[in-house]
Amino acid sequence: MMTDAAYIRSGRNTIIHKVRKLDLLLVNDIEHPVVKVTQNGVIEHNGEVPRNRREAKDAYCEVVNISSPDVFGEPKTLLFVQCLNGKEYKVDYSKVGTPLFVRVHQQSFF
């Protein structure tokens, strides 16, 4: 049974955030930092990642393991995230720790 997710997968490396009430926590691979997608943008997440769906629901977020078979099936080096604020962000995991890790890729994709 398919549940309604807070995101849409598009193409080979794009996530579209679609539910204003829920943030997305994007988990790529164990050595990569977690990225938080809110209605206002994308930032690196420094807090704890909920261990299960109940904890995630209580924290108003959804944990998305982008390397799982039901999302992309493999870890990504480059990920694009479309947010509800009309911007598309580029997350480049090869540039972790630099200002180029998360940056605006496009303005107003609508």
Side-chain angles (χ1 to χ4, degrees):
M1 183 168 99
M2 189 90 167
T3 59
D4 193 31
Y7 66 94
I8 300 170
R9 180 178 46 110
S10 176
R12 294 185 301 183
N13 62 346
T14 302
I15 295 283
I16 301 169
H17 186 208
K18 69 175 192 170
V19 178
R20 189 171 300 276
K21 292 180 184 179
L22 293 176
D23 295 338
L24 299 177
L25 294 179
L26 304 178
V27 178
N28 187 16
D29 209 0
I30 193 112
E31 71 262 4
H32 294 303
V34 175
V35 176
K36 183 176 185 177
V37 180
T38 68
Q39 64 181 351
N40 299 316
V42 178
I43 58 171
E44 187 174 338
H45 179 69
N46 295 321
E48 285 193 34
V49 176
R51 293 177 298 205
N52 54 44
R53 282 188 172 186
R54 180 72 184 152
E55 284 184 10
K57 184 178 176 186
D58 290 345
Y60 299 100
C61 67
E62 183 171 332
V63 178
V64 181
N65 184 346
I66 61 175
S67 62
S68 72
D70 55 333
V71 182
F72 292 121
E74 63 186 12
K76 295 292 181 184
T77 303
L78 191 59
L79 183 69
F80 295 96
V81 181
Q82 292 180 2
C83 292
L84 295 167
N85 65 359
K87 295 179 182 176
E88 182 176 80
Y89 291 82
K90 179 180 178 182
V91 181
D92 190 344
Y93 287 98
S94 68
K95 296 185 168 105
V96 171
T98 71
L100 299 175
F101 174 48
V102 176
R103 64 186 172 109
V104 175
H105 180 64
Q106 263 183 320
Q107 300 272 5
S108 296
F109 56 89
F110 295 114

